[in-house]
């Protein structure tokens, strides 16, 4: 099967799974997922599965990328923070939806690879840095949207504080991989509203930087 046919098959599968946001589906259609994994995983690039990218990190399953992006309700007016750049794939999806994306990765080699991909795909509205994602990016706060791509025991308070009023954060919560939930946190004038969206399985969100 050609890459084009595999991509169409994946998009049809995502629609069957309930993804309806045309901007999200269009972003997934235009970004070549095979460019974000090593060559020995190219034949699985359009399977609806997570794939390893090194440093015990993964490229999320396409359905989860699409579902999280759709749940974040991003528009081209929004300033977005992504915690956990990883391969850069989710960042590129978000960058096609928002006005400007700020993304943080704790593993320097992964961050450098992701930056090269951003340049390669000429995506100019991404600002990235290597750092501790649990602290967010206070110098650029507040953010209209925040996406966290690794699971913490609870919402890191520093990230919640960096949401604008009316802002939305989507994050996986739960230390036990068999009992994680993807939640959506909306900041209101009075505090935070939390919704449970779906059971998920993510690598842990680790504070600090690698030794």
């Amino acid at each position: 099967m050609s890459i084009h046919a595999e991509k169409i098959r994946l998009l049809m599968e995502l629609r069957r799974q309930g993804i309806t946001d045309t901007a999200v589906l269009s972003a997934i259609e235009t970004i070549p997922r095979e460019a974000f994994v090593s060559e020995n995983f190219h034949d699985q690039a359009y399977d609806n599965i997570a794939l390893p990218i090194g440093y015990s990190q993964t490229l999320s399953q396409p359905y989860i990328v699409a579902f999280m992006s759709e749940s974040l309700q991003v528009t081209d007016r929004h300033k977005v923070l992504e915690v956990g750049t990883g391969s850069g794939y989710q960042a590129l999806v978000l960058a096609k939806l928002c006005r400007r994306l700020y993304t943080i990765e704790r593993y320097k080699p992964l961050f450098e690879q992701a930056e090269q991909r951003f340049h390669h795909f000429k995506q100019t509205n991404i600002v990235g840095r290597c750092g501790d994602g649990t602290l967010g990016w206070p110098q650029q706060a507040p953010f209209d949207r925040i996406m966290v791509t690794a699971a913490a025991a609870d919402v890191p308070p520093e990230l919640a504080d960096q949401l604008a009023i009316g802002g939305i954060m989507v994050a996986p919560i739960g230390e036990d991989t068999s009992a994680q939930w993807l939640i959506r946190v909306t900041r209101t004038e009075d505090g935070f509203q939390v919704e449970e969206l779906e059971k998920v399985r993510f690598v842990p969100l680790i504070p600090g930087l690698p030794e």
Side-chain angles (χ1 to χ4, degrees):
M1 194 185 291
S2 70
I3 279 183
H4 179 69
E6 287 182 13
K7 203 176 261 194
I8 297 299
R9 176 179 55 92
L10 174 62
L11 290 166
M12 286 171 67
E13 188 176 338
L14 294 178
R15 286 193 182 98
R16 278 197 304 275
Q17 288 182 289
I19 303 300
T20 56
D21 188 320
T22 52
V24 170
L25 289 165
S26 172
I28 286 172
E29 185 175 7
T30 54
I31 299 164
R33 195 167 180 255
E34 70 276 11
F36 296 82
V37 291
S38 61
E39 205 169 319
N40 47 334
F41 291 108
H42 280 189
D43 60 336
Q44 298 172 64
Y46 294 98
D47 292 347
N48 202 0
I49 56 173
L51 294 171
I53 57 169
Y55 301 90
S56 302
Q57 305 299 298
T58 56
L59 170 59
S60 290
Q61 177 191 1
Y63 168 70
I64 292 296
V65 170
F67 183 71
M68 288 179 75
S69 302
E70 185 170 271
S71 301
L72 202 57
Q73 302 170 4
V74 183
T75 76
D76 59 10
R77 297 189 307 278
H78 288 146
K79 178 180 180 181
V80 180
L81 173 67
E82 179 195 39
V83 175
T85 315
S87 68
Y89 179 80
Q90 175 72 79
L92 275 163
V93 171
L94 289 171
K96 290 188 179 300
L97 306 173
C98 72
R99 179 171 61 86
R100 184 163 290 276
L101 177 74
Y102 293 82
T103 183
I104 306 171
E105 172 55 54
R106 72 190 296 268
Y107 293 102
K108 195 160 192 237
L110 286 181
F111 175 69
E112 288 170 348
Q113 286 174 4
E115 276 221 302
Q116 287 170 2
R117 290 173 180 132
F118 302 153
H119 291 308
H120 176 75
F121 293 114
K122 299 181 171 60
Q123 196 69 43
T124 56
N125 63 335
I126 303 177
V127 182
R129 69 181 175 90
C130 195
D132 180 352
T134 63
L135 303 177
W137 201 321
Q139 300 86 343
Q140 293 296 341
F143 295 97
D144 303 302
R145 300 288 185 268
I146 297 177
M147 182 184 286
V148 186
T149 64
D154 209 340
V155 174
E158 290 87 353
L159 296 181
D161 286 346
Q162 289 173 36
L163 266 182
I165 302 296
I168 294 171
M169 170 162 43
V170 170
I173 296 298
E175 288 179 298
D176 180 352
T177 54
S178 64
Q180 290 176 359
W181 277 91
L182 191 66
I183 63 164
R184 177 163 52 201
V185 179
T186 305
R187 186 166 196 174
T188 67
E189 296 281 0
D190 308 318
F192 296 92
Q193 293 175 337
V194 180
E195 305 162 73
E196 287 187 345
L197 300 177
E198 185 148 334
K199 279 196 159 180
V200 288
R201 185 171 289 192
F202 273 85
V203 297
L205 181 67
I206 301 169
L209 290 173
E211 293 299 315

